[in-house]
mmCIF file of all heavy atoms in Angstrom:
data_model
loop_
_atom_site.group_PDB
_atom_site.id
_atom_site.type_symbol
_atom_site.label_atom_id
_atom_site.label_comp_id
_atom_site.label_asym_id
_atom_site.label_seq_id
_atom_site.Cartn_x
_atom_site.Cartn_y
_atom_site.Cartn_z
ATOM 1 N N HIS A 1333 -1.928 -0.816 34.067
ATOM 2 C CA HIS A 1333 -3.144 -0.949 34.878
ATOM 3 C C HIS A 1333 -4.407 -0.838 34.040
ATOM 4 O O HIS A 1333 -5.476 -1.275 34.461
ATOM 5 C CB HIS A 1333 -3.151 0.106 35.993
ATOM 6 C CG HIS A 1333 -3.003 1.504 35.478
ATOM 7 N ND1 HIS A 1333 -1.864 1.949 34.827
ATOM 8 C CD2 HIS A 1333 -3.858 2.556 35.501
ATOM 9 C CE1 HIS A 1333 -2.029 3.221 34.491
ATOM 10 N NE2 HIS A 1333 -3.229 3.606 34.878
ATOM 11 N N VAL A 1334 -4.327 -0.268 32.838
ATOM 12 C CA VAL A 1334 -5.503 -0.170 31.954
ATOM 13 C C VAL A 1334 -5.204 -0.774 30.580
ATOM 14 O O VAL A 1334 -5.787 -0.380 29.566
ATOM 15 C CB VAL A 1334 -5.999 1.285 31.811
ATOM 16 C CG1 VAL A 1334 -6.736 1.743 33.061
ATOM 17 C CG2 VAL A 1334 -4.844 2.231 31.483
ATOM 18 N N LEU A 1335 -4.299 -1.741 30.558
ATOM 19 C CA LEU A 1335 -3.972 -2.470 29.329
ATOM 20 C C LEU A 1335 -3.586 -1.530 28.182
ATOM 21 O O LEU A 1335 -4.016 -1.688 27.044
ATOM 22 C CB LEU A 1335 -5.141 -3.383 28.914
ATOM 23 C CG LEU A 1335 -5.671 -4.353 29.985
ATOM 24 C CD1 LEU A 1335 -6.693 -5.300 29.371
ATOM 25 C CD2 LEU A 1335 -4.551 -5.142 30.636
ATOM 26 N N ALA A 1337 -4.470 1.449 27.519
ATOM 27 C CA ALA A 1337 -5.540 2.258 26.918
ATOM 28 C C ALA A 1337 -4.961 3.590 26.470
ATOM 29 O O ALA A 1337 -4.151 4.217 27.157
ATOM 30 C CB ALA A 1337 -6.664 2.475 27.923
ATOM 31 N N ARG A 1369 1.424 -8.913 27.311
ATOM 32 C CA ARG A 1369 -0.008 -9.213 27.447
ATOM 33 C C ARG A 1369 -0.858 -8.413 26.460
ATOM 34 O O ARG A 1369 -1.901 -8.873 25.994
ATOM 35 C CB ARG A 1369 -0.435 -8.895 28.880
ATOM 36 C CG ARG A 1369 -1.892 -9.153 29.151
ATOM 37 C CD ARG A 1369 -2.257 -8.774 30.580
ATOM 38 N NE ARG A 1369 -3.675 -8.974 30.818
ATOM 39 C CZ ARG A 1369 -4.338 -8.448 31.835
ATOM 40 N NH1 ARG A 1369 -3.706 -7.714 32.732
ATOM 41 N NH2 ARG A 1369 -5.635 -8.672 31.975
ATOM 42 N N ALA A 1373 -5.448 -1.925 24.398
ATOM 43 C CA ALA A 1373 -6.851 -2.369 24.445
ATOM 44 C C ALA A 1373 -7.796 -1.265 23.991
ATOM 45 O O ALA A 1373 -8.957 -1.244 24.386
ATOM 46 C CB ALA A 1373 -7.208 -2.848 25.845
ATOM 47 N N GLY A 1374 -7.290 -0.335 23.194
ATOM 48 C CA GLY A 1374 -8.172 0.668 22.598
ATOM 49 C C GLY A 1374 -8.065 2.021 23.252
ATOM 50 O O GLY A 1374 -7.233 2.258 24.135
ATOM 51 N N ALA A 1375 -8.934 2.911 22.794
ATOM 52 C CA ALA A 1375 -9.017 4.229 23.394
ATOM 53 C C ALA A 1375 -9.426 4.080 24.856
ATOM 54 O O ALA A 1375 -9.980 3.055 25.252
ATOM 55 C CB ALA A 1375 -10.027 5.074 22.640
ATOM 56 N N ASP A 1376 -9.128 5.098 25.649
ATOM 57 C CA ASP A 1376 -9.405 5.033 27.089
ATOM 58 C C ASP A 1376 -10.900 5.260 27.323
ATOM 59 O O ASP A 1376 -11.403 6.378 27.207
ATOM 60 C CB ASP A 1376 -8.568 6.086 27.820
ATOM 61 C CG ASP A 1376 -8.626 5.871 29.328
ATOM 62 O OD1 ASP A 1376 -9.716 5.538 29.847
ATOM 63 O OD2 ASP A 1376 -7.596 6.050 29.987
ATOM 64 N N ILE A 1377 -11.602 4.170 27.641
ATOM 65 C CA ILE A 1377 -13.061 4.220 27.759
ATOM 66 C C ILE A 1377 -13.472 5.108 28.931
ATOM 67 O O ILE A 1377 -14.441 5.868 28.849
ATOM 68 C CB ILE A 1377 -13.635 2.790 27.913
ATOM 69 C CG1 ILE A 1377 -13.292 1.963 26.661
ATOM 70 C CG2 ILE A 1377 -15.145 2.826 28.124
ATOM 71 C CD1 ILE A 1377 -13.547 0.472 26.801
ATOM 72 N N LYS A 1378 -12.692 5.047 30.015
ATOM 73 C CA LYS A 1378 -13.024 5.870 31.189
ATOM 74 C C LYS A 1378 -12.946 7.354 30.841
ATOM 75 O O LYS A 1378 -13.797 8.144 31.252
ATOM 76 C CB LYS A 1378 -12.039 5.539 32.323
ATOM 77 C CG LYS A 1378 -12.476 5.997 33.668
ATOM 78 C CD LYS A 1378 -11.556 5.423 34.746
ATOM 79 C CE LYS A 1378 -11.931 5.977 36.109
ATOM 80 N NZ LYS A 1378 -10.957 5.596 37.132
ATOM 81 N N MET A 1380 -13.395 8.677 27.907
ATOM 82 C CA MET A 1380 -14.413 9.081 26.925
ATOM 83 C C MET A 1380 -15.827 9.048 27.476
ATOM 84 O O MET A 1380 -16.695 9.804 27.014
ATOM 85 C CB MET A 1380 -14.399 8.115 25.727
ATOM 86 C CG MET A 1380 -13.303 8.308 24.736
ATOM 87 S SD MET A 1380 -13.518 7.184 23.342
ATOM 88 C CE MET A 1380 -13.327 5.584 24.090
ATOM 89 N N MET A 1388 -16.973 16.221 22.183
ATOM 90 C CA MET A 1388 -16.148 15.403 21.280
ATOM 91 C C MET A 1388 -15.847 16.167 19.992
ATOM 92 O O MET A 1388 -14.714 16.167 19.500
ATOM 93 C CB MET A 1388 -16.861 14.084 20.939
ATOM 94 C CG MET A 1388 -17.012 13.132 22.090
ATOM 95 S SD MET A 1388 -15.440 12.541 22.751
ATOM 96 C CE MET A 1388 -15.238 11.003 21.856
ATOM 97 N N TYR A 1393 -11.935 15.140 18.917
ATOM 98 C CA TYR A 1393 -11.305 14.097 19.727
ATOM 99 C C TYR A 1393 -10.561 13.085 18.858
ATOM 100 O O TYR A 1393 -11.110 12.496 17.929
ATOM 101 C CB TYR A 1393 -12.404 13.398 20.538
ATOM 102 C CG TYR A 1393 -11.914 12.614 21.732
ATOM 103 C CD1 TYR A 1393 -11.430 13.263 22.853
ATOM 104 C CD2 TYR A 1393 -11.947 11.237 21.723
ATOM 105 C CE1 TYR A 1393 -10.980 12.547 23.960
ATOM 106 C CE2 TYR A 1393 -11.509 10.507 22.827
ATOM 107 C CZ TYR A 1393 -11.025 11.167 23.934
ATOM 108 O OH TYR A 1393 -10.587 10.462 25.019
ATOM 109 N N PHE A 1394 -9.298 12.891 19.156
ATOM 110 C CA PHE A 1394 -8.416 11.930 18.496
ATOM 111 C C PHE A 1394 -7.959 12.341 17.106
ATOM 112 O O PHE A 1394 -7.320 11.552 16.417
ATOM 113 C CB PHE A 1394 -9.023 10.524 18.447
ATOM 114 C CG PHE A 1394 -8.745 9.760 19.715
ATOM 115 C CD1 PHE A 1394 -9.580 8.755 20.134
ATOM 116 C CD2 PHE A 1394 -7.627 10.052 20.477
ATOM 117 C CE1 PHE A 1394 -9.312 8.046 21.312
ATOM 118 C CE2 PHE A 1394 -7.348 9.361 21.639
ATOM 119 C CZ PHE A 1394 -8.193 8.357 22.057
ATOM 120 N N HIS A 1414 -3.437 -8.296 23.019
ATOM 121 C CA HIS A 1414 -4.596 -7.635 22.414
ATOM 122 C C HIS A 1414 -4.208 -6.379 21.625
ATOM 123 O O HIS A 1414 -3.484 -5.523 22.133
ATOM 124 C CB HIS A 1414 -5.576 -7.162 23.488
ATOM 125 C CG HIS A 1414 -5.998 -8.218 24.469
ATOM 126 N ND1 HIS A 1414 -6.863 -9.236 24.141
ATOM 127 C CD2 HIS A 1414 -5.681 -8.406 25.764
ATOM 128 C CE1 HIS A 1414 -7.055 -10.011 25.197
ATOM 129 N NE2 HIS A 1414 -6.350 -9.532 26.196
ATOM 130 N N LEU A 1416 -6.820 -4.073 20.174
ATOM 131 C CA LEU A 1416 -8.272 -3.915 20.022
ATOM 132 C C LEU A 1416 -8.643 -2.447 19.867
ATOM 133 O O LEU A 1416 -8.000 -1.573 20.471
ATOM 134 C CB LEU A 1416 -9.002 -4.492 21.231
ATOM 135 C CG LEU A 1416 -8.743 -5.979 21.509
ATOM 136 C CD1 LEU A 1416 -9.488 -6.413 22.773
ATOM 137 C CD2 LEU A 1416 -9.165 -6.838 20.318
ATOM 138 N N GLY A 1417 -9.703 -2.187 19.115
ATOM 139 C CA GLY A 1417 -10.178 -0.811 18.964
ATOM 140 C C GLY A 1417 -9.046 0.086 18.487
ATOM 141 O O GLY A 1417 -8.388 -0.199 17.479
ATOM 142 N N GLY A 1418 -8.812 1.144 19.276
ATOM 143 C CA GLY A 1418 -7.732 2.064 18.930
ATOM 144 C C GLY A 1418 -6.375 1.372 18.857
ATOM 145 O O GLY A 1418 -5.474 1.841 18.149
ATOM 146 N N GLU A 1421 -6.246 0.080 15.468
ATOM 147 C CA GLU A 1421 -6.111 1.241 14.577
ATOM 148 C C GLU A 1421 -4.699 1.812 14.612
ATOM 149 O O GLU A 1421 -4.152 2.224 13.590
ATOM 150 C CB GLU A 1421 -7.154 2.301 14.982
ATOM 151 C CG GLU A 1421 -8.569 1.836 14.668
ATOM 152 C CD GLU A 1421 -9.644 2.694 15.315
ATOM 153 O OE1 GLU A 1421 -9.594 2.884 16.549
ATOM 154 O OE2 GLU A 1421 -10.533 3.187 14.597
ATOM 155 N N PRO A 1440 -13.872 -3.798 18.582
ATOM 156 C CA PRO A 1440 -15.068 -4.147 19.371
ATOM 157 C C PRO A 1440 -15.943 -2.956 19.773
ATOM 158 O O PRO A 1440 -16.806 -3.092 20.640
ATOM 159 C CB PRO A 1440 -14.437 -4.789 20.620
ATOM 160 C CG PRO A 1440 -13.134 -4.078 20.794
ATOM 161 C CD PRO A 1440 -12.665 -3.719 19.418
ATOM 162 N N GLU A 1441 -15.740 -1.795 19.135
ATOM 163 C CA GLU A 1441 -16.439 -0.580 19.582
ATOM 164 C C GLU A 1441 -17.953 -0.713 19.561
ATOM 165 O O GLU A 1441 -18.653 -0.047 20.328
ATOM 166 C CB GLU A 1441 -16.022 0.618 18.716
ATOM 167 C CG GLU A 1441 -14.580 1.074 18.918
ATOM 168 C CD GLU A 1441 -13.560 0.381 18.022
ATOM 169 O OE1 GLU A 1441 -13.892 -0.686 17.461
ATOM 170 O OE2 GLU A 1441 -12.449 0.894 17.888
ATOM 171 N N LEU A 1444 -19.665 -1.067 22.675
ATOM 172 C CA LEU A 1444 -19.731 0.118 23.540
ATOM 173 C C LEU A 1444 -20.753 1.125 23.019
ATOM 174 O O LEU A 1444 -20.863 2.230 23.538
ATOM 175 C CB LEU A 1444 -18.354 0.806 23.584
ATOM 176 C CG LEU A 1444 -17.175 -0.051 24.065
ATOM 177 C CD1 LEU A 1444 -15.860 0.682 23.816
ATOM 178 C CD2 LEU A 1444 -17.326 -0.380 25.543
ATOM 179 N N ILE A 1447 -18.555 3.321 17.172
ATOM 180 C CA ILE A 1447 -17.867 2.669 16.054
ATOM 181 C C ILE A 1447 -16.385 3.016 16.144
ATOM 182 O O ILE A 1447 -16.003 3.895 16.930
ATOM 183 C CB ILE A 1447 -18.429 3.146 14.683
ATOM 184 C CG1 ILE A 1447 -18.194 4.660 14.484
ATOM 185 C CG2 ILE A 1447 -19.918 2.810 14.574
ATOM 186 C CD1 ILE A 1447 -18.489 5.150 13.070
ATOM 187 N N PRO A 1448 -15.534 2.347 15.376
ATOM 188 C CA PRO A 1448 -14.128 2.748 15.367
ATOM 189 C C PRO A 1448 -14.031 4.231 15.002
ATOM 190 O O PRO A 1448 -14.768 4.702 14.143
ATOM 191 C CB PRO A 1448 -13.510 1.880 14.265
ATOM 192 C CG PRO A 1448 -14.408 0.678 14.190
ATOM 193 C CD PRO A 1448 -15.787 1.201 14.476
ATOM 194 N N GLY A 1449 -13.127 4.946 15.679
ATOM 195 C CA GLY A 1449 -13.080 6.406 15.478
ATOM 196 C C GLY A 1449 -11.689 6.939 15.190
ATOM 197 O O GLY A 1449 -11.485 8.144 15.127
ATOM 198 N N ILE A 1450 -10.721 6.025 15.036
ATOM 199 C CA ILE A 1450 -9.358 6.492 14.724
ATOM 200 C C ILE A 1450 -8.946 5.857 13.399
ATOM 201 O O ILE A 1450 -7.821 5.384 13.232
ATOM 202 C CB ILE A 1450 -8.357 6.152 15.861
ATOM 203 C CG1 ILE A 1450 -8.981 6.370 17.256
ATOM 204 C CG2 ILE A 1450 -7.103 7.013 15.745
ATOM 205 C CD1 ILE A 1450 -8.083 5.937 18.419
HETATM 206 N N1 LIG B 77 -10.007 1.822 28.389
HETATM 207 C C1 LIG B 77 -9.890 1.978 29.732
HETATM 208 N N2 LIG B 77 -9.626 0.962 30.559
HETATM 209 C C2 LIG B 77 -9.461 -0.256 30.021
HETATM 210 C C3 LIG B 77 -9.570 -0.499 28.642
HETATM 211 C C4 LIG B 77 -9.846 0.617 27.812
HETATM 212 N N3 LIG B 77 -9.943 0.505 26.479
HETATM 213 N N4 LIG B 77 -9.373 -1.803 28.433
HETATM 214 C C5 LIG B 77 -9.143 -2.385 29.621
HETATM 215 N N5 LIG B 77 -9.203 -1.442 30.588
HETATM 216 C C6 LIG B 77 -9.006 -1.653 32.024
HETATM 217 C C7 LIG B 77 -10.171 -2.397 32.652
HETATM 218 O O1 LIG B 77 -11.223 -1.509 32.973
HETATM 219 C C8 LIG B 77 -9.521 -2.997 33.879
HETATM 220 O O2 LIG B 77 -9.412 -2.015 34.863
HETATM 221 P P1 LIG B 77 -9.746 -2.409 36.437
HETATM 222 O O3 LIG B 77 -8.656 -3.367 36.804
HETATM 223 O O4 LIG B 77 -9.655 -1.092 37.143
HETATM 224 O O5 LIG B 77 -11.096 -3.028 36.437
HETATM 225 C C9 LIG B 77 -8.100 -3.301 33.406
HETATM 226 O O6 LIG B 77 -7.882 -2.502 32.230
HETATM 227 C C10 LIG B 77 -7.894 -4.750 33.011
HETATM 228 O O7 LIG B 77 -8.903 -5.096 32.072
HETATM 229 P P2 LIG B 77 -9.796 -6.428 32.196
HETATM 230 O O8 LIG B 77 -9.996 -6.776 33.619
HETATM 231 O O9 LIG B 77 -11.004 -6.223 31.356
HETATM 232 O O10 LIG B 77 -8.806 -7.495 31.523
HETATM 233 P P3 LIG B 77 -9.207 -8.847 30.791
HETATM 234 O O11 LIG B 77 -7.916 -9.570 30.572
HETATM 235 O O12 LIG B 77 -10.291 -9.542 31.534
HETATM 236 O O13 LIG B 77 -9.798 -8.403 29.360
HETATM 237 C C11 LIG B 77 -9.843 -7.138 27.294
HETATM 238 C C12 LIG B 77 -8.970 -7.826 28.402
HETATM 239 C C13 LIG B 77 -10.591 -8.216 26.501
HETATM 240 C C14 LIG B 77 -8.884 -6.391 26.375
HETATM 241 C C15 LIG B 77 -10.851 -6.186 27.974
HETATM 242 O O14 LIG B 77 -10.158 -5.325 28.886
HETATM 243 C C16 LIG B 77 -11.597 -5.306 27.006
HETATM 244 O O15 LIG B 77 -12.510 -5.761 26.349
HETATM 245 N N6 LIG B 77 -11.202 -4.011 26.925
HETATM 246 C C17 LIG B 77 -11.899 -3.031 26.114
HETATM 247 C C18 LIG B 77 -11.590 -3.251 24.655
HETATM 248 C C19 LIG B 77 -12.363 -2.234 23.846
HETATM 249 O O16 LIG B 77 -13.577 -2.185 23.857
HETATM 250 N N7 LIG B 77 -11.639 -1.400 23.100
HETATM 251 C C20 LIG B 77 -12.239 -0.376 22.273
HETATM 252 C C21 LIG B 77 -12.241 0.938 23.002
HETATM 253 S S1 LIG B 77 -13.045 2.212 22.047
HETATM 254 C C22 LIG B 77 -11.898 2.580 20.848
HETATM 255 O O17 LIG B 77 -10.770 2.182 20.892
HETATM 256 C C23 LIG B 77 -12.295 3.427 19.662
HETATM 257 C C24 LIG B 77 -12.677 4.723 20.131
HETATM 258 C C25 LIG B 77 -12.833 5.675 19.011
HETATM 259 C C26 LIG B 77 -12.638 7.059 19.450
HETATM 260 C C27 LIG B 77 -13.399 7.973 18.602
HETATM 261 C C28 LIG B 77 -12.940 9.394 18.717
HETATM 262 C C29 LIG B 77 -13.592 10.317 17.732
#
Side-chain angles (χ1 to χ4, degrees):
H1333 55 296
V1334 285
L1335 307 187
R1369 180 182 178 197
D1376 191 320
I1377 298 168
K1378 196 171 175 188
M1380 282 185 296
M1388 292 297 266
Y1393 199 71
F1394 275 154
H1414 307 287
L1416 301 178
E1421 291 167 306
E1441 291 89 343
L1444 302 170
I1447 63 170
I1450 320 175

